[in-house]
Amino acid sequence: MSGCIFCRIVAGSAPATKIHEDDILMAFLDIRPITRGHTLIIPKWHATDLDDLNPALGAQLFAFGHRLAKSMRRSDLGADGANLVLNDGKAAFQTVHHVHLHVVPRQKGDTFTFAKGFVTRRPHNRETTAAAIRAGLDRLAAEERETTA
């Protein structure tokens, strides 16, 4: 869908700081993050809302969100947890009409800075943030290899 910014990101005609990409999903930093590391995960095929999303694809989307949230705990972001949020439809404050899952890293006691993030929504150093998240994904993969070895 040519009018969709997320479809343009998938096509490579719009910029994004990518965290992960495979044949099915893409993850990239939010341009207006609530916290440092706020990442969006999208299916590479356009689905406007949950009515348009294949349930199996939705399961893969959430499964990677789960993995990304775990990796943020292992990254240098200092995350103690994460919010995973999917706004479905205009009534739920969906502003980009392509299904996307927000993964927002949280820190213990960050209530004030989290609330402030909704108002200021300013990007942090995108490259170092992306590198930190990718390193967390690598650490998680290493842990999993050790567990199965």
Side-chain angles (χ1 to χ4, degrees):
M1 180 174 269
S2 64
C4 173
I5 185 63
F6 290 170
C7 288
R8 291 196 314 265
I9 289 171
V10 168
S13 60
T17 306
K18 292 181 191 173
I19 302 298
H20 168 84
E21 181 175 10
D22 59 30
D23 292 339
I24 298 164
L25 302 172
M26 182 182 287
F28 50 90
L29 293 178
D30 192 303
I31 62 168
R32 296 182 56 237
I34 296 169
T35 65
R36 180 175 181 234
H38 180 171
T39 301
L40 304 178
I41 307 169
I42 64 169
K44 292 178 94 171
W45 294 273
H46 186 84
T48 300
D49 53 31
L50 290 178
D51 281 345
D52 292 342
L53 186 67
N54 174 294
L57 181 54
Q60 288 178 291
L61 181 78
F62 191 84
F64 187 73
H66 175 215
R67 181 171 191 75
L68 189 62
K70 287 174 60 176
S71 75
M72 288 176 176
R73 290 176 184 235
R74 289 152 176 84
S75 77
D76 294 336
L77 296 179
D80 297 314
N83 290 106
L84 278 68
V85 179
L86 193 150
N87 300 327
D88 179 42
K90 212 174 222 182
F93 306 110
Q94 183 181 3
T95 56
V96 176
H97 297 282
H98 181 128
V99 170
H100 55 287
L101 179 66
H102 296 258
V103 181
V104 184
R106 298 294 302 272
Q107 296 175 338
K108 185 176 179 179
D110 74 350
T111 305
F112 176 73
T113 55
F114 182 75
K116 181 180 164 190
F118 275 101
V119 177
T120 58
R121 297 193 70 153
R122 294 203 180 8
H124 302 89
N125 183 308
R126 302 179 71 67
E127 292 309 318
T128 58
T129 299
I133 297 169
R134 286 186 212 108
L137 282 166
D138 290 344
R139 288 181 192 127
L140 179 60
E143 282 179 24
E144 291 168 344
R145 283 191 300 272
E146 289 175 14
T147 303
T148 59

